[in-house]
Amino acid sequence: MSAARAEDVAWSGVDQRRMKGSRRGLALACFMATMSSIENLSVEQLHKINTWKKFVDERPWSAVWDFYEGTILDERKMKSNAFPVDPVGCDLSLWRWKLENPDGRPRNDRRTYVMQVSYLGTDFSAVQRCPGVRTVQEEVEKVLESIFTNYSTRPHSLVLAGRTDSGVHAYAQMFSFHCWDAIKTCQLVEDMNSRLPRDVRVVMMEQMPRSFHANFAATWRKYCYVFPLQEIGAGRFDVEAEEVDSMLRGLEGRRRHYNSFSYKEHKALQSNSDADVCCILRGRAFNFHLSDQTVLVVELTANRFLRRMVRKLVATAIRAAAFPEEENSFTKILEACDSSRSAPPLPSIGLCLVGVGYDDYDKKRGGAAIHSLA
C-alpha cells in the first residue's frame, strides 16, 4: 500500500468513527487495518503523512462550522454578500415552460413536484435513506408521512439530485416526488418546516412536468469548499489562492478521466472505463474574510462528480500549492489516473452543495466551451 493510499484510508476511518450504527464498526476495522499497513512505510513517507495531516488538522475548523451554521439555513443571508459564492439554488425555467406547454394529454392525474432542501450535514450520516443511521431523506419522509396520514394521497417515489458524503452540507439539495392530488405548495412548505428538525429546512416547492426527475434531469452541480487559512506574516497566508485558482481554471471545459480523485473502491469505476469521465465547467479559488478568520474558498461546477471527488481534488490542489514538490504536482497526479497519488479527502465539514442546474450551463452561465475527451 502506498503512503498516500494508506493515509487516505486511515483518515477515512478516523472521519467515520463519529458515525453511529453498523458503519462505525466497519470504519474502525478499516482504520485498524490501515494502521498495520503503515508499519511497512519508510520513515520519510511517514513524516510526509504526519506533516500533511498536521497541516490540515491544526486549523480553526470551528470557524467554518460557525459560518455554515449561521448561513445555510438562512435564506436572507444566502442571498446576500454573507456567502462567498453565488448560491444558485436551482434554475427550473426550462421545466416551467414544459409544464405550461405540455406535449400531448397526460394518461392520468399523477402530478410531479420538486422541492429544494437545505441542511447542515454534521449530524447526518448520509443524505439518502440508509438503514440504521440518520439521513436527510428519512427526516423529510417522516414529516411527509405525519402530514399526509392517508397513504393514497401521500407523496411517493422521493428521489434526490445527488448523494453527499457524511457531514457535507447543502443549500440546494433537490428532491422530486409524485402524488395524485394537487398540493398547496406554499402551505406544505410551511407545515414541513414547522415539523422538521432544526438542521433541515425546505426552501421552496413547485409543480413540474410529469417527466421531471431530480437526478436524471440535472445537467450540472455546484459545490463550495471553505478551507481556513493561517497567516504567515505581512498579509500572506500558508496557501496562495492564486496558485490554486490557476490549477482549477486549467480544468475548465474539457472532459477528463478523474479517477485520480475518486474513491477507488467504487464498483462502477472498476467495471466501466468511462464511469470516471467528468467535465468541470467552472473552477475558481479566492480568499474570503469571515468575521475573524480568512478562508480559502473553492468553487467547482461540473456536469457530475465522483464519490469524494471534490474533497480529494481540492486537497490535492492545496497540497501542491503548500508543498510544491515534484511528487505533489497537480498536473502529473491528474494525468496519472491513480487515486493513490492524490491527497486524502479534506474534512467534510468544509463542503457544501450550493446549486443544481436543470438548464444548459454553457449558454446561461458563461461556462467554458466543452471540448472532447482528453
Side-chain angles (χ1 to χ4, degrees), residues 75 79 88-93 96 113-118 171-177 185-190 192-193 201-208 212 356 358:
E75 185 70 6
K79 297 296 185 181
V88 177
C90 64
D91 188 338
L92 297 165
S93 55
R96 293 189 185 104
Y113 290 85
V114 63
M115 63 178 169
Q116 178 182 336
V117 178
S118 300
Y171 166 69
Q173 180 64 261
M174 308 304 297
F175 286 83
S176 63
F177 60 87
T185 55
C186 292
Q187 182 61 49
L188 181 55
V189 169
E190 185 177 337
M192 291 184 68
N193 284 333
R201 68 182 295 271
V202 178
V203 178
M204 70 86 181
M205 182 186 302
E206 61 180 289
Q207 186 175 356
M208 287 283 102
F212 180 84
V356 179
Y358 294 94

